[in-house]
Amino acid sequence: MLDKLTQLRDRGLEQIASADTLQALEDVRVRLLGRKGALTEILRGVSQAPADQRPLLGKAANEAKKALTEALDARRSALESQETKPGAPSVDFSLPGRMPPRGHLHPLTSLVDRIVGIFAEMGFQVAEGPDIETEYYNFDSLNTPPDHPARDLQDTFFVRPGVVLRTQTSPVQMRVMESCPPPVAVVVPGRVYRVDSDTTHSPMFWQVEGLLVDRGVTFADLKGTIMHFLHRLYGPDVGVRFRPHFFPFTEPSAEVDVYWSAGGRSGWLEVMGCGMVHPEVFRHAGYDYEEYSGFAFGLGVERSAMVLHAIDNIQHFYSGDMRFLEQF
Amino acid sequence: MKISLNWLRDYVDVTLDPDDLAHRLTMLGLEIESIDRPGESIRNVVIGQILSIDPHPDADKLVVCRTDVGEGEPLQIVCGAKNMKPGDKVPTAKIGGVLPGGFEIGRRKMRGIESQGMMCSGKELGLSDDHSGLLILDADAPIGADAVAHLGLDDVIYEIEVTPNRNDWASMIGVARELAASLETTLRLPEFALVESPPEAERLSSVQIENPDLCPRYAGRVLTDVKVGPSPEWLCRRLMAAGQRPINNIVDITNYVLLETGHPLHAFDYQTLNENRIVVRTARADESIATLDGETRALSPEMLVIADATRPVAVAGIMGGAETEVGENTTQVFLESAYFAPVSIRRTARALGMMTEASQRFQRGADPEMARYALDRAAYLMQELAGAKTALGVLDNYPRPPEERRIRLRYARTHAMLGAKPAPDTQKAYLERLGFVAEASDAESCTFRIPTWRHDCTQEADLIEEVARLYGYDLIEPTIPAVRRTERVFAPNDGRLRRLRRELAGYGLFELVGMTFSSSAEVAAVGLSGAYLDMVPLQNPLSENLAAMRSTLLPGMVRAVQTNIRHGRRDVRAFELGPVYRPAPERELPEQTLRLGLVLTGNAEEPHWSRPVRTADVYDITGLIQAVGDYFGASLACAAAPFDAFDPDASAQVTLNGRAIGWAGCLTPAVRKAWDIEQPVFLAEVALEPLLDIPETPVLFAPIPAYPPSLRDIAVLVDQSVPAGALVDAARTAGGKLLQRVDVFDVYTGKQVPAGKKSIALSLVFQSPERTLTDKATQKAWDAILKRLQDDFGAQLR
């Protein structure tokens, strides 16, 4: 009886393992464990066995049932998971998936955000001013009175006498200083305008201006701030140099070059202007030049973008051409 | 300004190699725009002497020369030039020689005769534009010597940008002075011996200044026995190195001294001056002058002129007159060296549209003290190079000598400003090397007298910059400042707008940044008029289509669509966030406000193989507007209303709490046609300020319902004219507190419904915060909604 049981169990396990559909497996189950199944018959027969064999036989029969039931369950879940997948590979992963909609921020506003972000981390706040400015804020208050030679450098759009399209974001310096006492730490993005148009000049372009005024601000601080900024923007290894230059509203003044390589050519490229705020500017702002000092800086956003992205023509920025915009 | 290194060496010893010199100049603030080495590529060109010239047997236009190049047999050279004779010395390229541009000289036959080299013109050596014949050298040129060195082509020419504050750099001596200060060496000014001889200049001429404010100094000399002719080779070479063309010795000398000293001079033909005298005055009404450039210039009374007894003979400090020009027959010269007030020169030059070497220097401020030196220097050169005799004495009228300027420098102030600590003695030494004269001095400070050529130095900060420049910007160690923060906010909307742009890009839109210029024609081209034509005009626009500041974003967006369609990109989904402008006559400045523009055309989404492509329609635009409203925590409504740019059937006003803030719709076919666009274009433009005025308050949490919702639909037939929004509003009021949400989920017209009707299906969500709703309660609310729709709109239940 025990031998028959062992044989039944082993054969059953074999049949279970070789059942390759759920239906075949179900047939095996019915044959073994169904109401008239072979094992069911044996279990029923245990009560008729001699009393001394009964415990042993009962134990073996239950163990066989357990083994078969477990094997059936395992085989069933294996077959189930197989059957939910159709045989041949029906997903073609080389087909493009459904992309979420992809828009593009304009390279100029992205760069402005990046520049402003770097200065914001250093503690500078964003400030703004109007595109259409008085000559006073754009020139006179910035130590550029009428007939000053520096006015020749910037061909200005006039709206009416005394009112211009600002040629620089610097007038915002004055508006900010007039509105509050030191300390001041602002960064000023915005559109500016000059009568000029070719592949590297646009009559409208973007600048970012910065101003820090407090007690004890030095040219060394200006250098440190600008170098930190340029290393963040152009990379930690970029060469940076400051060379003397002239701006009416700073003294001492400097232009800043980065050593940049692109398209097989490398050299110093001018990227910023800066300097210590001129005493005349403080005078107009009502700041005490003996107590406070400050630095200011400015950069052309288009120019920086053209350097960073190797863009050859400034007019691309304003064309609305998606073949350009989608690259950023 | 072009600086020749060979010339510069006259005034200062330079041992740096040319690249290091460029770096040194750059770090002093003299920006190098280019470096040119004119003779760099020339090889194997020597000085040859032509021994004989014979006709070419087979070519009328060629000759065969024998030229001695100082070694071996004379070379046989076939040549097409005509200007030479036997005995002339000419630059001669030997076989294997190389000319500028890499042109290599080989042995070759010309019409059957072998040519063993090439004799060169000025142009072929890159020396000048002269290609009319061979460059004939001075008779004493050494045969066989390197022509490059002989001609001064072994030079380095630095093109420097002179900043407007440093006019003193617009001269060889000015640059040399700076360099000498930086290299700690001495500046050598040319020394010369001018010989004066009778009669006295005062007996030959006179100078009268009527406007001393405009002409603080006028010095002149009279020269006689002048022989006008070509300048010597060295002078021509230097002028050409500086980018000027030699004319004659007298004119060349004035130009040479201008380049050398930075001080403009002018030579008049003495005999053409009426009464041989000079009057410096403003122009009289209706006066005009024929200037050297061949133009006739009408003068106005604020313009300063140099006149003789009767008429203007020069526009002061800008250009001389044609009638008093020095020419071949001139034998006597009145030489002018004056100082004019910068503002006057600047205004006159602007008014006449004349920018000359002289006007540039005077309007940025020349050195009045240099006037005499430059005058004598030029007279000396005329004595040496034109045989001129200088009359006794100078006619020097100097009514307004410059005030002596003194500035005190506090050494500690330098430290405080720079964050570097050059010692007091060092600071003082820097300034002295630059020509500043130390006067009163103590341990803390020193007062300096400012050189007359330094118009830019007016206060202590200017001296600190001088110290910083000579100390070296690169030696100032960078530090990071402690930035003190304040509670002030200068641009409260900046962050919100930046996030809005990201949000819009997240919807799949491209960001446009347009020109803020526009024109009334462009506004009209999108069908707009009225207030949109009230634009801020420019007085000096670049062109007619950029003549005003934009009043709307719409034309720019339509242009973007046109541009992209022309490039075969028919699907445009974009936005622009930027300013528009409007005149505000009652205020100091025009009004500038922010707008958001949206534009959609072509496909509404990226095509995908798994689904049919949907083209954009007006609901894509209104949906975007809703999304923008959501971003600001506001509800933006679109209601049909006519707008000139839009199709009457698809034109809506955008409102915020009943206040109109913009428009949305579909561009009219007429406008599309005008822009050559065939497909529908959907646009919107809304004012952002009303949205930015909505405070950024935190969202208030609504408790999450504890009881399940009960979902019902209702579908009704109504007249075509009934707006779906009206049904939704009616359902919302009729549904009472239990109705949490109403959505339109289907709109149908067609075979299944009678003509003139449409079917609208609403999904309704009922929910109570207090209990699970019974069917009965839900049904009661549903019935109330149906009744309201029946009563208000004659709706029939489907």
Side-chain angles (χ1 to χ4, degrees):
Chain A
M1 195 69 171
L2 268 176
D3 289 350
K4 199 179 162 194
L5 194 63
T6 309
Q7 200 184 345
L8 187 69
R9 189 195 67 189
D10 292 349
R11 267 213 7 240
L13 288 174
E14 265 169 43
Q15 286 169 353
I16 289 166
S18 58
D20 53 7
T21 64
L22 284 171
Q23 187 55 52
L25 187 68
E26 179 61 10
D27 292 347
V28 173
R29 188 193 67 83
V30 170
R31 277 204 303 279
L32 293 169
L33 300 171
R35 228 151 33 93
K36 290 180 177 168
L39 187 63
T40 316
E41 294 286 327
I42 288 175
L43 282 165
R44 252 189 231 126
V46 172
S47 57
Q48 271 106 55
D52 60 333
Q53 292 180 18
R54 251 183 254 161
L56 197 64
L57 196 58
K59 190 173 174 244
N62 276 320
E63 276 173 8
K65 185 182 177 184
K66 190 169 172 250
L68 287 169
T69 307
E70 281 173 4
L72 277 168
D73 287 348
R75 185 64 187 156
R76 186 179 298 114
S77 40
L79 285 175
E80 273 170 0
S81 69
Q82 248 175 45
E83 286 202 356
T84 54
K85 286 184 204 150
S90 63
V91 176
D92 179 355
F93 284 104
S94 69
L95 276 172
R98 286 184 199 93
M99 294 271 280
R102 275 182 66 205
H104 296 267
L105 285 179
H106 195 279
L108 290 178
T109 60
S110 300
L111 185 53
V112 166
D113 286 357
R114 213 174 135 203
I115 293 166
V116 166
I118 294 169
F119 286 110
E121 281 178 33
M122 298 179 84
F124 289 76
Q125 288 181 290
V126 178
E128 291 164 345
D131 291 14
I132 305 175
E133 253 303 0
T134 62
E135 270 192 278
Y136 174 78
Y137 281 113
N138 193 69
F139 288 123
D140 302 48
S141 72
L142 298 172
N143 193 33
T144 318
D147 292 314
H148 190 286
R151 287 210 186 186
D152 292 342
L153 294 183
Q154 302 178 359
D155 277 319
T156 309
F157 285 110
F158 277 84
V159 168
R160 59 169 188 265
V163 177
V164 301
L165 302 188
R166 65 178 176 190
T167 60
Q168 48 201 0
T169 41
S170 315
V172 183
Q173 284 183 24
M174 186 54 58
R175 288 182 174 273
V176 166
M177 285 192 280
E178 278 183 357
S179 75
C180 64
V184 167
V186 290
V187 58
V188 184
R191 289 172 167 85
V192 301
Y193 302 84
R194 290 182 198 172
V195 186
D196 208 353
S197 187
D198 59 32
T199 57
T200 54
H201 296 90
S202 166
M204 180 203 87
F205 60 102
W206 290 69
Q207 278 188 345
V208 176
E209 181 95 4
L211 173 72
L212 175 72
V213 180
D214 204 344
R215 291 188 187 90
V217 175
T218 67
F219 193 87
D221 291 335
L222 168 61
K223 277 189 76 176
T225 304
I226 299 291
M227 286 174 80
H228 171 79
F229 163 68
L230 291 173
H231 285 145
R232 293 275 307 267
L233 189 64
Y234 288 93
D237 301 323
V238 76
V240 176
R241 79 175 182 193
F242 291 71
R243 53 185 166 73
H245 197 69
F246 166 70
F247 301 107
F249 35 85
T250 50
E251 191 81 26
S253 306
E255 269 188 342
V256 189
D257 300 336
V258 295
Y259 197 85
W260 193 248
S261 306
R265 292 177 57 181
S266 54
W268 291 104
L269 265 184
E270 175 208 329
V271 290
M272 293 182 79
C274 62
M276 302 301 290
V277 180
H278 196 283
E280 277 301 297
V281 175
F282 268 16
R283 193 174 64 76
H284 282 282
Y287 280 17
D288 183 351
Y289 187 67
E290 291 294 317
E291 182 174 1
Y292 292 98
S293 58
F295 64 69
F297 57 83
L299 66 106
V301 181
E302 279 82 350
R303 183 172 169 79
S304 304
M306 289 171 84
V307 172
L308 281 167
H309 303 298
I311 296 168
D312 60 349
N313 188 333
I314 198 170
Q315 307 299 338
H316 285 310
F317 291 111
Y318 325 106
S319 64
D321 190 334
M322 296 181 354
R323 297 171 305 174
F324 172 76
L325 297 172
E326 71 192 356
Q327 298 184 31
F328 301 94
Chain B
M1 172 96 191
K2 286 184 171 171
I3 300 291
S4 148
L5 178 55
N6 285 348
W7 188 355
L8 194 65
R9 291 186 202 276
D10 279 7
Y11 316 105
V12 61
D13 291 327
V14 181
T15 50
L16 297 174
D17 82 47
D19 288 329
D20 289 344
L21 177 62
H23 178 71
R24 178 71 68 133
L25 292 170
T26 300
M27 296 311 284
L28 284 168
L30 286 140
E31 195 175 341
I32 308 284
E33 296 199 319
S34 64
I35 302 178
D36 184 28
R37 295 173 168 86
E40 194 182 27
S41 59
I42 300 176
R43 298 273 181 284
N44 236 344
V45 179
V46 299
I47 295 167
Q49 183 171 37
I50 300 172
L51 302 177
S52 66
I53 305 176
D54 296 307
H56 189 292
D58 293 321
D60 292 344
K61 293 192 171 165
L62 296 177
V63 292
V64 181
C65 304
R66 278 166 23 88
T67 303
D68 178 8
V69 291
E71 54 174 35
E73 284 292 299
L75 302 179
Q76 172 174 291
I77 299 176
V78 181
C79 178
K82 296 268 180 288
N83 66 324
M84 66 289 193
K85 57 182 188 304
D88 278 349
K89 291 180 178 169
V90 293
T92 306
K94 298 193 283 191
I95 300 293
V98 180
L99 296 182
F103 178 62
E104 198 173 327
I105 308 301
R107 188 186 300 269
R108 62 193 189 117
K109 283 194 170 175
M110 293 174 81
R111 292 287 187 94
I113 304 278
E114 187 180 83
S115 185
Q116 299 165 331
M118 177 176 151
M119 299 183 289
C120 307
S121 68
K123 187 174 180 180
E124 281 158 347
L125 291 174
L127 194 63
S128 69
D129 288 335
D130 188 2
H131 199 44
S132 61
L134 300 183
L135 180 69
I136 310 292
L137 303 173
D138 289 348
D140 57 2
I143 296 169
D146 180 22
V148 169
H150 179 78
L151 289 168
L153 286 169
D154 55 344
D155 203 356
V156 182
I157 310 291
Y158 300 94
E159 170 100 54
I160 60 165
E161 192 205 313
V162 175
T163 51
N165 61 322
R166 290 303 303 270
N167 188 46
D168 60 303
W169 282 343
S171 68
M172 299 303 300
I173 289 175
V175 172
R177 183 191 292 123
E178 199 69 31
L179 205 51
S182 170
L183 297 172
E184 299 189 50
T185 175
T186 47
L187 172 71
R188 282 190 304 271
L189 289 183
E191 285 173 15
F192 51 87
L194 176 63
V195 181
E196 297 179 355
S197 52
E200 286 169 357
E202 276 178 15
R203 293 173 56 186
L204 298 174
S205 184
S206 70
V207 171
Q208 178 193 350
I209 301 176
E210 289 188 4
N211 303 78
D213 289 335
L214 303 188
C215 178
R217 184 175 198 181
Y218 194 103
R221 279 189 182 275
V222 181
L223 295 99
T224 57
D225 293 11
V226 174
K227 289 167 213 47
V228 177
S231 296
E233 219 174 83
W234 67 266
L235 180 55
C236 294
R237 278 205 309 269
R238 287 194 164 177
L239 289 179
M240 288 189 293
Q244 296 200 351
R245 206 161 42 85
I247 297 166
N248 62 47
N249 50 5
I250 301 302
V251 174
D252 292 349
I253 287 166
T254 59
N255 286 335
Y256 179 82
V257 175
L258 166 73
L259 293 169
E260 181 174 61
T261 64
H263 202 87
L265 303 170
H266 186 66
F268 295 98
D269 183 331
Y270 171 83
Q271 284 163 309
T272 61
L273 297 172
N274 287 326
E275 298 179 20
N276 305 127
R277 64 191 179 92
I278 291 291
V279 181
V280 185
R281 59 168 172 85
T282 48
R284 311 226 155 88
D286 300 329
E287 269 184 335
S288 65
I289 181 172
T291 43
L292 282 172
D293 56 3
E295 304 278 321
T296 298
R297 314 265 178 184
L299 301 170
S300 54
E302 69 281 357
M303 295 177 179
L304 190 71
V305 299
I306 311 303
D308 58 17
T310 58
R311 55 174 179 162
V313 292
V315 185
I318 300 174
M319 194 179 279
E323 292 175 12
T324 51
E325 183 179 6
V326 170
E328 285 173 38
N329 303 319
T330 300
T331 56
Q332 298 183 64
V333 165
F334 183 94
L335 188 59
E336 163 196 297
S337 181
Y339 172 74
F340 301 108
V343 170
S344 160
I345 300 297
R346 181 172 191 271
R347 288 183 181 163
T348 303
R350 281 223 148 183
L352 295 176
M354 299 171 83
M355 244 243 296
T356 62
E357 293 277 339
S359 73
Q360 276 270 61
R361 285 173 174 82
F362 279 126
Q363 74 185 39
R364 290 176 170 188
D367 177 7
E369 289 295 297
M370 183 58 98
R372 175 67 194 274
Y373 178 87
L375 178 67
D376 291 353
R377 173 80 171 142
Y380 165 76
L381 289 171
M382 288 178 190
Q383 161 190 309
E384 297 299 307
L385 306 178
K389 285 185 181 160
T390 304
L392 273 173
V394 187
L395 302 166
D396 192 354
N397 224 330
Y398 201 174
R400 297 269 193 283
E403 274 179 37
E404 289 195 340
R405 277 170 297 145
R406 288 181 172 75
I407 301 173
R408 178 164 170 253
L409 173 68
R410 293 163 294 170
Y411 301 126
R413 191 72 187 152
T414 304
H415 300 160
M417 196 56 70
L418 299 185
K421 292 208 163 18
D425 285 349
T426 310
Q427 296 189 36
K428 192 167 158 224
Y430 288 151
L431 287 161
E432 286 180 323
R433 277 195 242 147
L434 287 165
F436 293 76
V437 181
E439 295 187 340
S441 178
D442 58 37
E444 275 87 46
S445 71
C446 180
T447 299
F448 292 90
R449 185 150 48 82
I450 309 304
T452 49
W453 60 85
R454 292 303 301 267
H455 296 275
D456 60 309
C457 288
T458 57
Q459 46 196 319
E460 190 181 35
D462 299 317
L463 301 190
I464 293 173
E465 180 173 68
E466 295 308 292
V467 171
R469 281 194 314 116
L470 287 202
Y471 181 78
Y473 280 15
D474 45 347
L475 294 184
I476 297 173
E477 278 299 314
T479 50
I480 296 285
V483 177
R484 276 205 283 163
R485 292 163 201 251
T486 65
E487 74 287 359
R488 290 184 294 260
V489 175
F490 297 104
N493 294 323
D494 180 68
R496 216 173 178 189
L497 290 169
R498 194 165 338 145
R499 290 195 304 277
L500 174 59
R501 286 203 310 268
R502 291 185 188 283
E503 182 97 359
L504 293 165
Y507 301 157
L509 304 179
F510 280 62
E511 184 181 18
L512 304 173
V513 170
M515 279 282 166
T516 43
F517 302 110
S518 184
S519 67
S520 49
E522 201 182 51
V523 169
V526 294
L528 295 176
S529 56
Y532 287 98
L533 291 177
D534 187 18
M535 300 167 84
V536 178
L538 299 178
Q539 289 185 326
N540 54 334
L542 268 184
S543 67
E544 224 166 87
N545 55 350
L546 307 173
M549 301 306 284
R550 68 183 178 188
S551 57
T552 162
L553 305 179
L554 295 177
M557 293 193 295
V558 174
R559 196 176 335 101
V561 167
Q562 183 195 46
T563 302
N564 283 294
I565 288 180
R566 276 188 186 158
H567 296 144
R569 302 289 296 258
R570 309 195 149 266
D571 309 317
V572 180
R573 300 183 291 277
F575 74 97
E576 173 160 10
L577 200 162
V580 298
Y581 313 83
R582 198 172 66 177
E586 72 287 354
R587 278 189 272 163
E588 187 180 34
L589 293 174
E591 183 183 281
Q592 174 176 338
T593 55
L594 267 184
R595 294 273 176 86
L596 170 65
L598 300 164
V599 59
L600 299 170
T601 189
N603 291 339
E605 57 203 6
E606 285 302 309
H608 191 259
W609 54 268
S610 65
R611 64 184 177 220
V613 180
R614 189 174 68 75
T615 48
D617 62 31
V618 77
Y619 299 113
D620 289 298
I621 276 284
T622 56
L624 279 172
I625 287 182
Q626 266 179 288
V628 169
D630 281 356
Y631 171 79
F632 285 102
S635 170
L636 293 181
C638 295
F643 183 65
D644 289 343
F646 297 154
D647 207 326
D649 290 339
S651 174
Q653 187 163 52
V654 181
T655 56
L656 168 66
N657 301 328
R659 175 180 169 196
I661 64 163
W663 299 92
C666 180
L667 205 58
T668 67
V671 170
R672 281 200 276 126
K673 195 156 177 251
W675 290 80
D676 213 11
I677 299 169
E678 285 174 4
Q679 61 198 54
V681 177
F682 303 94
L683 290 158
E685 179 173 30
V686 296
L688 279 174
E689 273 81 2
L691 291 164
L692 291 165
D693 285 344
I694 300 169
E696 270 188 289
T697 49
V699 168
L700 289 182
F701 167 72
I704 291 167
Y707 301 96
S710 174
L711 311 178
R712 292 292 191 89
D713 295 342
I714 189 166
V716 291
L717 283 180
V718 290
D719 288 344
Q720 287 268 21
S721 61
V722 175
L727 296 183
V728 170
D729 289 345
R732 201 167 273 148
T733 40
K737 275 197 296 187
L738 296 182
L739 183 64
Q740 294 296 310
R741 190 180 166 127
V742 185
D743 291 299
V744 178
F745 78 89
D746 188 42
V747 179
Y748 177 76
T749 54
K751 278 186 285 183
Q752 311 291 319
V753 299
K757 298 278 182 184
K758 63 182 169 186
S759 161
I760 293 187
L762 307 176
S763 70
L764 308 167
V765 179
F766 298 97
Q767 197 164 29
S768 163
E770 287 142 15
R771 61 200 149 87
T772 303
L773 288 179
T774 60
D775 278 355
K776 206 176 145 195
T778 309
Q779 187 61 40
K780 198 178 156 201
W782 190 92
D783 289 343
I785 292 169
L786 177 61
K787 182 156 191 313
R788 172 66 63 86
L789 299 184
Q790 288 168 333
D791 290 352
D792 289 5
F793 304 102
Q796 295 164 262
L797 187 64
R798 276 194 86 199

